[in-house]
Amino acid sequence: MELSTTVGKEKLIALFDAGTFVEIGAYMKRNDELTGVVCGYGAIGGKLVYAFAQDSDRKKGAIDALQAEKIAMLYGMAMRNEAPVVGFFDSVGAMVGDGASVMSAYGKLLRAVSDASGAIPQIAVISGVCAGMAATVASMFDLVITVKDQSALYVNAPFIVGKEIGTGDAVMANGLASIEAENDEDAIHRVTKLVAILPSSSQDILIADEPTDDINRSVRADVSGKDLIAELSDLGEFIELGAGYAPEMLTGFSVIGGVVCGIVANNAAINGGAITTEGAKKAAKLIGFCDSFTIPIVTLVDSIGVEASAEAENAPLAAQLGKLAMAYATATTGKITAVVGKAYGAAFTLMGSKALGADVEYALPASEISVMAPASAVAFLWNSRITETTSRADLEKQWVETEAAPTEAAADGSIDDVINPCELRQRICAAVYMLLMKNGGAPERKHCNLPL
Protein backbone atom coordinates (compact mmCIF):
# COMPACT_ATOMS: atom_id res chain seq x y z
CA MET A 1 0.00 0.00 0.00
CA GLU A 2 1.41 3.42 -0.96
CA LEU A 3 0.82 6.24 1.51
CA SER A 4 -0.70 9.43 0.13
CA THR A 5 1.33 12.64 0.34
CA THR A 6 0.11 14.89 3.16
CA VAL A 7 0.92 18.41 4.30
CA GLY A 8 3.52 17.13 6.76
CA LYS A 9 5.18 14.92 4.21
CA GLU A 10 5.24 17.73 1.65
CA LYS A 11 7.15 19.92 4.11
CA LEU A 12 9.80 17.28 4.63
CA ILE A 13 10.16 16.58 0.92
CA ALA A 14 10.62 20.30 0.34
CA LEU A 15 13.15 20.51 3.18
CA PHE A 16 15.54 17.82 1.98
CA ASP A 17 17.72 17.69 -1.11
CA ALA A 18 15.77 16.27 -4.04
CA GLY A 19 15.30 12.52 -3.84
CA THR A 20 16.96 12.07 -0.43
CA PHE A 21 13.96 11.98 1.95
CA VAL A 22 13.40 8.60 3.60
CA GLU A 23 10.34 8.19 5.82
CA ILE A 24 10.54 6.13 9.00
CA GLY A 25 7.63 4.64 10.92
CA ALA A 26 5.44 5.27 7.90
CA TYR A 27 2.84 2.65 8.83
CA MET A 28 2.72 3.17 12.60
CA LYS A 29 -1.00 3.14 13.49
CA ARG A 30 -3.36 3.22 16.41
CA ASN A 31 -6.91 1.94 16.00
CA ASP A 32 -6.25 1.70 12.25
CA GLU A 33 -5.42 5.42 12.09
CA LEU A 34 -2.00 6.86 11.21
CA THR A 35 -0.59 9.09 13.89
CA GLY A 36 -0.41 12.84 13.29
CA VAL A 37 3.30 13.17 12.54
CA VAL A 38 5.60 12.31 9.65
CA CYS A 39 9.22 11.44 10.47
CA GLY A 40 12.28 10.76 8.37
CA TYR A 41 15.79 11.67 7.37
CA GLY A 42 17.63 12.94 4.33
CA ALA A 43 20.30 15.35 3.19
CA ILE A 44 20.31 19.15 3.39
CA GLY A 45 23.17 20.52 1.34
CA GLY A 46 24.68 17.05 1.52
CA LYS A 47 24.53 16.89 5.36
CA LEU A 48 22.54 14.18 7.14
CA VAL A 49 19.55 15.66 8.99
CA TYR A 50 16.56 14.10 10.78
CA ALA A 51 13.18 15.81 10.79
CA PHE A 52 9.57 15.46 11.86
CA ALA A 53 6.48 17.36 10.82
CA GLN A 54 3.21 17.37 12.72
CA ASP A 55 0.58 16.68 10.09
CA SER A 56 -2.64 18.69 10.06
CA ASP A 57 -4.03 16.18 7.53
CA ARG A 58 -3.82 13.42 10.13
CA LYS A 59 -5.90 13.97 13.28
CA LYS A 60 -5.04 17.69 12.88
CA GLY A 61 -1.60 16.83 14.19
CA ALA A 62 -2.98 15.95 17.64
CA ILE A 63 -0.34 14.53 19.98
CA ASP A 64 -0.84 11.03 21.37
CA ALA A 65 1.40 8.31 22.77
CA LEU A 66 2.16 6.90 19.32
CA GLN A 67 3.26 10.28 17.98
CA ALA A 68 5.63 10.68 20.94
CA GLU A 69 6.99 7.19 20.37
CA LYS A 70 7.61 7.94 16.71
CA ILE A 71 9.44 11.22 17.41
CA ALA A 72 11.46 9.59 20.21
CA MET A 73 12.52 6.88 17.74
CA LEU A 74 13.66 9.61 15.34
CA TYR A 75 15.66 11.27 18.12
CA GLY A 76 17.33 7.98 18.97
CA MET A 77 18.56 7.67 15.39
CA ALA A 78 19.71 11.30 15.29
CA MET A 79 21.70 10.93 18.51
CA ARG A 80 23.35 7.69 17.41
CA ASN A 81 24.32 9.21 14.08
CA GLU A 82 25.20 12.64 15.52
CA ALA A 83 22.98 14.67 13.20
CA PRO A 84 20.69 17.69 13.69
CA VAL A 85 16.91 17.50 14.19
CA VAL A 86 14.40 19.84 12.53
CA GLY A 87 10.84 19.84 13.87
CA PHE A 88 7.75 21.36 12.20
CA PHE A 89 5.09 22.12 14.81
CA ASP A 90 1.47 22.30 13.66
CA SER A 91 -1.03 20.68 16.01
CA VAL A 92 -4.37 21.41 17.66
CA GLY A 93 -2.96 19.99 20.89
CA ALA A 94 -3.27 16.71 22.77
CA MET A 95 -5.67 13.82 22.32
CA VAL A 96 -7.58 14.77 25.47
CA GLY A 97 -9.48 11.51 25.56
CA ASP A 98 -6.23 9.59 26.06
CA GLY A 99 -5.98 10.73 29.68
CA ALA A 100 -2.69 10.11 31.50
CA SER A 101 -1.06 8.46 28.48
CA VAL A 102 -1.02 11.73 26.57
CA MET A 103 0.68 13.48 29.49
CA SER A 104 3.29 10.75 29.45
CA ALA A 105 3.62 11.34 25.72
CA TYR A 106 4.52 14.96 26.38
CA GLY A 107 7.02 13.80 28.96
CA LYS A 108 8.65 11.53 26.41
CA LEU A 109 8.97 14.43 23.97
CA LEU A 110 10.42 16.70 26.66
CA ARG A 111 12.94 14.01 27.61
CA ALA A 112 14.02 13.44 24.01
CA VAL A 113 14.61 17.15 23.38
CA SER A 114 16.36 17.59 26.72
CA ASP A 115 18.70 14.63 26.15
CA ALA A 116 19.67 16.01 22.74
CA SER A 117 20.23 19.58 23.97
CA GLY A 118 23.87 20.55 23.60
CA ALA A 119 24.65 17.32 21.74
CA ILE A 120 23.00 17.99 18.37
CA PRO A 121 21.49 21.21 16.98
CA GLN A 122 17.69 21.37 17.14
CA ILE A 123 15.69 23.75 14.97
CA ALA A 124 11.94 24.22 15.44
CA VAL A 125 9.65 25.69 12.79
CA ILE A 126 6.28 26.87 14.08
CA SER A 127 4.29 26.42 10.89
CA GLY A 128 0.86 26.58 12.56
CA VAL A 129 -0.51 26.31 16.09
CA CYS A 130 1.87 25.16 18.81
CA ALA A 131 -0.11 25.14 22.04
CA GLY A 132 0.02 23.78 25.56
CA MET A 133 2.92 21.50 26.46
CA ALA A 134 3.94 21.42 22.79
CA ALA A 135 4.92 25.09 23.18
CA THR A 136 7.23 24.05 26.01
CA VAL A 137 8.75 21.34 23.80
CA ALA A 138 9.37 23.80 20.95
CA SER A 139 10.85 26.42 23.30
CA MET A 140 13.51 23.90 24.34
CA PHE A 141 14.88 23.75 20.79
CA ASP A 142 18.06 25.73 20.15
CA LEU A 143 16.52 27.88 17.42
CA VAL A 144 12.85 28.65 16.78
CA ILE A 145 11.57 29.94 13.44
CA THR A 146 8.08 31.41 13.20
CA VAL A 147 6.11 32.15 10.05
CA LYS A 148 4.62 35.62 9.62
CA ASP A 149 0.81 35.81 10.11
CA GLN A 150 0.70 32.03 10.46
CA SER A 151 2.39 30.93 13.69
CA ALA A 152 0.81 30.75 17.14
CA LEU A 153 2.84 29.69 20.17
CA TYR A 154 1.31 29.66 23.65
CA VAL A 155 0.74 27.48 26.69
CA ASN A 156 -2.76 28.73 27.60
CA ALA A 157 -5.20 29.42 24.78
CA PRO A 158 -6.48 32.98 24.17
CA PHE A 159 -9.98 32.05 25.35
CA ILE A 160 -8.50 31.00 28.72
CA VAL A 161 -6.39 34.09 29.40
CA GLY A 162 -8.98 36.44 27.93
CA LYS A 163 -6.94 38.17 25.23
CA GLU A 164 -4.99 37.54 22.06
CA ILE A 165 -1.60 35.98 22.81
CA GLY A 166 1.09 33.92 21.18
CA THR A 167 1.01 35.64 17.77
CA GLY A 168 4.13 35.69 15.65
CA ASP A 169 4.83 39.31 16.61
CA ALA A 170 4.33 38.55 20.30
CA VAL A 171 6.62 35.53 20.18
CA MET A 172 9.33 37.61 18.49
CA ALA A 173 8.92 40.36 21.10
CA ASN A 174 9.18 38.02 24.08
CA GLY A 175 12.29 36.30 22.76
CA LEU A 176 10.88 32.82 22.11
CA ALA A 177 11.42 33.13 18.37
CA SER A 178 14.90 33.38 16.88
CA ILE A 179 13.85 34.20 13.32
CA GLU A 180 10.60 35.22 11.62
CA ALA A 181 10.10 33.86 8.09
CA GLU A 182 7.82 35.44 5.51
CA ASN A 183 6.16 32.14 4.56
CA ASP A 184 6.68 28.36 4.63
CA GLU A 185 9.09 28.47 1.70
CA ASP A 186 11.17 31.15 3.41
CA ALA A 187 11.14 29.16 6.67
CA ILE A 188 12.62 26.14 4.86
CA HIS A 189 15.22 28.41 3.24
CA ARG A 190 16.20 29.73 6.69
CA VAL A 191 16.53 26.18 8.01
CA THR A 192 18.80 25.17 5.14
CA LYS A 193 21.05 28.20 5.74
CA LEU A 194 21.36 27.35 9.43
CA VAL A 195 22.06 23.67 8.77
CA ALA A 196 24.74 24.66 6.25
CA ILE A 197 26.78 26.66 8.78
CA LEU A 198 26.14 24.80 12.04
CA PRO A 199 28.07 21.69 13.08
CA SER A 200 26.18 18.40 12.98
CA SER A 201 26.95 17.63 16.62
CA SER A 202 29.04 18.64 19.60
CA GLN A 203 31.66 16.11 18.43
CA ASP A 204 32.36 17.91 15.16
CA ILE A 205 35.87 19.30 14.84
CA LEU A 206 36.00 23.02 14.08
CA ILE A 207 37.53 23.65 10.66
CA ALA A 208 38.08 26.63 8.41
CA ASP A 209 36.48 26.42 4.99
CA GLU A 210 38.08 28.17 2.06
CA PRO A 211 37.35 31.90 2.66
CA THR A 212 34.87 33.42 0.22
CA ASP A 213 36.14 36.90 1.03
CA ASP A 214 39.51 38.61 1.45
CA ILE A 215 40.60 38.11 5.07
CA ASN A 216 42.71 41.28 4.79
CA ARG A 217 39.82 43.41 3.59
CA SER A 218 39.75 46.79 5.34
CA VAL A 219 36.91 47.69 7.69
CA ARG A 220 35.40 51.16 7.51
CA ALA A 221 35.95 53.28 10.60
CA ASP A 222 32.59 55.06 10.47
CA VAL A 223 30.28 52.08 11.06
CA SER A 224 28.86 50.39 14.16
CA GLY A 225 26.23 47.84 15.20
CA LYS A 226 24.89 45.66 12.38
CA ASP A 227 26.90 47.60 9.79
CA LEU A 228 30.14 46.79 11.60
CA ILE A 229 29.17 43.12 11.89
CA ALA A 230 28.52 43.07 8.14
CA GLU A 231 31.93 44.65 7.52
CA LEU A 232 33.61 41.89 9.53
CA SER A 233 31.61 39.03 8.00
CA ASP A 234 32.46 37.18 4.80
CA LEU A 235 30.47 38.78 1.97
CA GLY A 236 28.70 40.93 4.59
CA GLU A 237 26.32 38.12 5.61
CA PHE A 238 25.01 38.07 9.18
CA ILE A 239 22.23 35.73 10.38
CA GLU A 240 20.67 37.74 13.18
CA LEU A 241 18.82 35.94 15.96
CA GLY A 242 16.09 37.46 18.11
CA ALA A 243 15.88 40.70 16.13
CA GLY A 244 12.56 41.62 17.75
CA TYR A 245 13.76 41.01 21.33
CA ALA A 246 16.17 43.20 23.32
CA PRO A 247 17.43 45.06 20.22
CA GLU A 248 20.06 46.80 22.36
CA MET A 249 21.98 43.49 22.20
CA LEU A 250 22.77 41.97 18.80
CA THR A 251 23.31 38.22 18.48
CA GLY A 252 23.64 35.82 15.59
CA PHE A 253 26.01 33.92 13.33
CA SER A 254 28.58 35.10 10.81
CA VAL A 255 31.23 33.35 8.77
CA ILE A 256 34.53 35.16 9.33
CA GLY A 257 37.48 34.04 7.24
CA GLY A 258 35.68 30.80 6.41
CA VAL A 259 34.95 29.98 10.07
CA VAL A 260 31.45 30.07 11.57
CA CYS A 261 31.39 32.42 14.57
CA GLY A 262 28.78 33.46 17.09
CA ILE A 263 28.41 37.24 17.33
CA VAL A 264 27.52 39.16 20.50
CA ALA A 265 27.49 42.94 20.12
CA ASN A 266 26.07 45.96 21.89
CA ASN A 267 23.81 48.10 19.73
CA ALA A 268 24.85 51.63 20.72
CA ALA A 269 22.05 53.09 18.59
CA ILE A 270 19.56 51.98 21.27
CA ASN A 271 20.08 53.56 24.69
CA GLY A 272 23.82 53.65 24.22
CA GLY A 273 23.96 49.85 24.09
CA ALA A 274 23.22 49.59 27.82
CA ILE A 275 23.09 45.98 29.04
CA THR A 276 19.51 45.18 30.05
CA THR A 277 18.00 42.17 31.77
CA GLU A 278 16.67 40.90 28.44
CA GLY A 279 19.89 41.74 26.60
CA ALA A 280 21.96 39.78 29.11
CA LYS A 281 19.68 36.73 28.74
CA LYS A 282 19.83 36.97 24.96
CA ALA A 283 23.63 37.09 24.92
CA ALA A 284 24.02 34.30 27.50
CA LYS A 285 21.79 31.98 25.46
CA LEU A 286 23.89 32.38 22.31
CA ILE A 287 27.15 32.00 24.26
CA GLY A 288 25.89 28.74 25.76
CA PHE A 289 24.87 27.40 22.36
CA CYS A 290 28.20 28.33 20.77
CA ASP A 291 30.14 26.74 23.59
CA SER A 292 28.17 23.50 23.28
CA PHE A 293 29.21 23.19 19.64
CA THR A 294 32.70 24.74 19.86
CA ILE A 295 31.75 27.77 17.77
CA PRO A 296 34.09 30.73 18.40
CA ILE A 297 32.47 33.77 20.00
CA VAL A 298 33.29 37.24 18.70
CA THR A 299 32.18 40.03 21.06
CA LEU A 300 31.99 43.67 19.95
CA VAL A 301 31.77 46.07 22.90
CA ASP A 302 30.09 49.47 22.64
CA SER A 303 28.08 50.17 25.78
CA ILE A 304 27.57 52.96 28.29
CA GLY A 305 27.10 50.39 31.07
CA VAL A 306 24.17 48.52 32.56
CA GLU A 307 20.54 49.58 32.61
CA ALA A 308 19.62 51.81 35.54
CA SER A 309 15.92 51.54 36.47
CA ALA A 310 13.70 50.18 39.23
CA GLU A 311 12.09 47.80 36.74
CA ALA A 312 15.47 46.33 35.84
CA GLU A 313 16.45 45.86 39.47
CA ASN A 314 13.22 43.98 40.13
CA ALA A 315 13.75 41.73 37.07
CA PRO A 316 16.23 40.99 38.80
CA LEU A 317 19.05 42.59 36.84
CA ALA A 318 21.80 41.30 39.13
CA ALA A 319 20.91 37.65 38.48
CA GLN A 320 20.84 38.08 34.70
CA LEU A 321 24.17 39.91 34.71
CA GLY A 322 25.50 37.01 36.77
CA LYS A 323 24.26 34.55 34.13
CA LEU A 324 26.01 36.55 31.43
CA ALA A 325 29.26 36.56 33.41
CA MET A 326 28.98 32.83 34.05
CA ALA A 327 28.26 32.12 30.38
CA TYR A 328 31.49 33.84 29.34
CA ALA A 329 33.55 32.50 32.25
CA THR A 330 32.56 28.85 31.75
CA ALA A 331 32.72 28.81 27.94
CA THR A 332 35.81 26.94 26.74
CA THR A 333 35.37 27.69 23.05
CA GLY A 334 37.48 30.41 21.43
CA LYS A 335 36.56 33.90 22.66
CA ILE A 336 37.67 37.05 20.83
CA THR A 337 36.61 40.50 22.03
CA ALA A 338 37.03 43.94 20.50
CA VAL A 339 36.15 47.22 22.19
CA VAL A 340 34.89 49.27 19.26
CA GLY A 341 33.25 52.16 21.10
CA LYS A 342 32.42 52.88 24.72
CA ALA A 343 33.07 50.35 27.47
CA TYR A 344 31.96 52.00 30.69
CA GLY A 345 31.95 50.32 34.08
CA ALA A 346 30.46 46.84 34.28
CA ALA A 347 30.01 46.71 30.49
CA PHE A 348 33.78 46.38 30.01
CA THR A 349 33.93 43.48 32.45
CA LEU A 350 30.75 41.65 31.44
CA MET A 351 31.11 41.80 27.67
CA GLY A 352 33.68 39.05 27.23
CA SER A 353 36.61 40.68 29.00
CA LYS A 354 39.97 38.96 29.44
CA ALA A 355 39.19 38.76 33.15
CA LEU A 356 36.20 36.54 32.24
CA GLY A 357 38.33 34.35 30.00
CA ALA A 358 38.61 36.01 26.59
CA ASP A 359 41.53 34.54 24.70
CA VAL A 360 42.27 37.77 22.84
CA GLU A 361 40.94 41.30 23.33
CA TYR A 362 41.56 44.29 21.09
CA ALA A 363 40.49 47.92 21.23
CA LEU A 364 40.19 50.62 18.59
CA PRO A 365 42.12 53.88 19.14
CA ALA A 366 38.93 55.93 19.50
CA SER A 367 37.35 53.56 22.03
CA GLU A 368 36.74 54.66 25.61
CA ILE A 369 37.39 52.27 28.49
CA SER A 370 36.43 53.87 31.78
CA VAL A 371 35.37 52.81 35.26
CA MET A 372 32.34 55.08 34.76
CA ALA A 373 31.00 57.57 32.24
CA PRO A 374 33.35 60.58 31.91
CA ALA A 375 30.72 63.00 33.21
CA SER A 376 30.20 60.87 36.31
CA ALA A 377 33.92 60.33 36.79
CA VAL A 378 34.65 64.05 36.69
CA ALA A 379 31.78 64.79 39.11
CA PHE A 380 32.99 62.09 41.48
CA LEU A 381 36.77 62.49 41.28
CA TRP A 382 37.71 65.76 39.60
CA ASN A 383 34.97 68.14 40.67
CA SER A 384 37.49 70.18 42.67
CA ARG A 385 39.51 70.84 39.51
CA ILE A 386 36.79 73.01 37.98
CA THR A 387 38.00 76.63 37.90
CA GLU A 388 37.26 79.82 36.02
CA THR A 389 39.65 78.68 33.28
CA THR A 390 38.91 74.94 33.38
CA SER A 391 35.30 73.94 32.73
CA ARG A 392 33.57 70.65 33.43
CA ALA A 393 33.51 69.98 29.68
CA ASP A 394 37.28 70.49 29.54
CA LEU A 395 37.79 67.97 32.32
CA GLU A 396 35.47 65.43 30.71
CA LYS A 397 37.44 65.72 27.47
CA GLN A 398 40.67 65.31 29.42
CA TRP A 399 39.28 62.20 31.14
CA VAL A 400 38.41 60.64 27.79
CA GLU A 401 41.83 61.40 26.35
CA THR A 402 43.80 60.16 29.35
CA GLU A 403 42.03 57.97 31.91
CA ALA A 404 39.65 56.38 29.38
CA ALA A 405 42.23 55.89 26.64
CA PRO A 406 42.51 52.23 25.51
CA THR A 407 46.28 52.39 26.01
CA GLU A 408 45.62 52.73 29.75
CA ALA A 409 43.74 49.41 29.74
CA ALA A 410 46.47 47.88 27.60
CA ALA A 411 49.10 48.93 30.13
CA ASP A 412 47.97 46.33 32.66
CA GLY A 413 47.19 43.63 30.09
CA SER A 414 43.41 44.07 30.11
CA ILE A 415 43.69 44.79 26.37
CA ASP A 416 46.14 42.89 24.15
CA ASP A 417 46.53 45.51 21.46
CA VAL A 418 45.15 48.81 20.23
CA ILE A 419 44.59 48.44 16.50
CA ASN A 420 43.38 50.56 13.60
CA PRO A 421 39.78 49.94 12.48
CA CYS A 422 40.92 48.93 9.00
CA GLU A 423 42.81 45.99 10.54
CA LEU A 424 39.94 44.67 12.66
CA ARG A 425 38.74 41.94 10.28
CA GLN A 426 42.29 40.78 9.60
CA ARG A 427 43.11 40.56 13.32
CA ILE A 428 39.88 38.75 14.20
CA CYS A 429 40.48 36.25 11.38
CA ALA A 430 44.00 35.64 12.66
CA ALA A 431 42.71 35.09 16.21
CA VAL A 432 40.00 32.70 15.02
CA TYR A 433 42.57 30.62 13.10
CA MET A 434 44.90 30.60 16.11
CA LEU A 435 42.09 29.24 18.29
CA LEU A 436 40.85 26.54 15.91
CA MET A 437 42.49 23.78 17.93
CA LYS A 438 41.77 25.25 21.35
CA ASN A 439 40.63 22.75 23.98
CA GLY A 440 39.47 23.12 27.56
CA GLY A 441 42.87 22.73 29.20
CA ALA A 442 46.49 21.69 28.84
CA PRO A 443 47.25 18.55 26.81
CA GLU A 444 47.55 15.34 28.82
CA ARG A 445 51.04 13.97 29.38
CA LYS A 446 52.64 10.92 30.96
CA HIS A 447 55.51 12.86 32.55
CA CYS A 448 57.85 15.81 31.98
CA ASN A 449 60.76 15.46 29.58
CA LEU A 450 63.92 15.64 31.73
CA PRO A 451 66.88 17.77 30.65
CA LEU A 452 70.16 16.08 29.70
Side-chain angles (χ1 to χ4, degrees):
M1 182 179 74
E2 184 177 345
L3 295 173
S4 60
T5 301
T6 60
V7 170
K9 193 169 183 177
E10 287 174 351
K11 289 175 183 175
L12 298 189
I13 292 172
L15 173 68
F16 292 115
D17 298 346
T20 66
F21 171 59
V22 177
E23 188 172 358
I24 61 173
Y27 291 91
M28 291 176 70
K29 292 182 180 181
R30 181 186 177 199
N31 298 328
D32 288 329
E33 285 188 282
L34 294 168
T35 189
V37 70
V38 179
C39 296
Y41 61 88
I44 298 179
K47 293 174 68 173
L48 174 64
V49 176
Y50 291 81
F52 67 86
Q54 290 182 320
D55 198 335
S56 57
D57 283 352
R58 299 178 183 174
K59 301 181 181 180
K60 297 184 178 180
I63 295 174
D64 57 15
L66 191 60
Q67 180 174 148
E69 186 66 36
K70 196 171 177 179
I71 295 174
M73 180 172 66
L74 177 89
Y75 262 92
M77 295 177 70
M79 290 287 280
R80 288 190 295 274
N81 292 285
E82 298 181 2
V85 169
V86 177
F88 290 85
F89 289 81
D90 185 3
S91 170
V92 294
M95 294 290 288
V96 179
D98 286 357
S101 69
V102 76
M103 303 314 297
S104 295
Y106 277 124
K108 187 168 287 189
L109 293 178
L110 293 166
R111 176 68 180 271
V113 175
S114 178
D115 287 348
S117 183
I120 55 175
Q122 300 177 83
I123 303 171
V125 179
I126 314 302
S127 52
V129 175
C130 183
M133 288 291 287
T136 302
V137 174
S139 72
M140 293 167 64
F141 277 54
D142 300 308
L143 301 163
V144 177
I145 299 173
T146 56
V147 181
K148 189 175 183 180
D149 301 326
Q150 188 173 310
S151 301
L153 179 67
Y154 49 76
V155 175
N156 294 299
F159 72 86
I160 294 176
V161 298
K163 62 178 182 180
E164 186 180 23
I165 54 167
T167 62
D169 289 342
V171 173
M172 283 295 293
N174 66 25
L176 275 177
S178 310
I179 295 170
E180 183 179 59
E182 289 296 319
N183 48 45
D184 286 334
E185 183 179 350
D186 184 40
I188 288 174
H189 173 67
R190 303 295 187 104
V191 171
T192 57
K193 287 191 71 172
L194 288 168
V195 168
I197 66 169
L198 294 178
S200 291
S201 78
S202 60
Q203 300 304 303
D204 271 13
I205 298 174
L206 184 66
I207 59 172
D209 291 331
E210 188 67 29
T212 56
D213 201 347
D214 181 6
I215 62 173
N216 297 313
R217 174 171 51 77
S218 294
V219 174
R220 290 185 295 152
D222 59 342
V223 294
S224 61
K226 293 181 187 179
D227 291 334
L228 176 58
I229 296 171
E231 285 281 310
L232 296 173
S233 305
D234 291 1
L235 303 179
E237 294 183 357
F238 171 52
I239 300 177
E240 185 176 4
L241 303 177
Y245 176 69
E248 65 279 358
M249 186 72 77
L250 302 171
T251 60
F253 300 113
S254 285
V255 177
I256 301 179
V259 179
V260 178
C261 297
I263 306 293
V264 177
N266 304 114
N267 184 4
I270 298 179
N271 194 27
I275 303 174
T276 63
T277 301
E278 294 78 14
K281 288 193 289 187
K282 182 177 177 180
K285 177 176 173 62
L286 181 75
I287 294 164
F289 176 84
C290 290
D291 190 46
S292 294
F293 297 100
T294 321
I295 298 171
I297 301 162
V298 176
T299 304
L300 305 175
V301 188
D302 190 359
S303 172
I304 59 172
V306 300
E307 181 183 10
S309 69
E311 293 78 14
E313 292 296 337
N314 290 328
L317 178 62
Q320 299 308 326
L321 296 180
K323 289 179 183 177
L324 177 59
M326 292 172 71
Y328 273 117
T330 59
T332 58
T333 190
K335 291 172 285 189
I336 302 133
T337 300
V339 181
V340 297
K342 296 178 173 64
Y344 293 165
F348 176 67
T349 306
L350 291 168
M351 291 296 294
S353 64
K354 289 198 74 177
L356 283 180
D359 297 288
V360 179
E361 183 163 9
Y362 301 119
L364 301 185
S367 61
E368 300 173 21
I369 301 171
S370 177
V371 69
M372 58 180 69
S376 301
V378 168
F380 188 70
L381 297 172
W382 287 3
N383 206 47
S384 60
R385 299 188 186 185
I386 298 174
T387 64
E388 291 183 359
T389 58
T390 305
S391 68
R392 184 178 298 278
D394 292 333
L395 291 174
E396 290 175 7
K397 181 181 178 184
Q398 182 182 343
W399 182 276
V400 169
E401 293 174 348
T402 57
E403 304 300 320
T407 49
E408 288 295 305
D412 70 358
S414 296
I415 295 292
D416 289 303
D417 200 358
V418 180
I419 61 175
N420 291 323
C422 63
E423 298 177 11
L424 188 57
R425 172 175 158 84
Q426 177 188 32
R427 298 295 286 271
I428 289 176
C429 285
V432 168
Y433 295 154
M434 181 267 290
L435 294 167
L436 280 176
M437 298 305 293
K438 179 188 176 185
N439 58 35
E444 292 185 11
R445 66 174 184 174
K446 292 179 66 176
H447 53 72
C448 60
N449 190 18
L450 298 176
L452 183 64

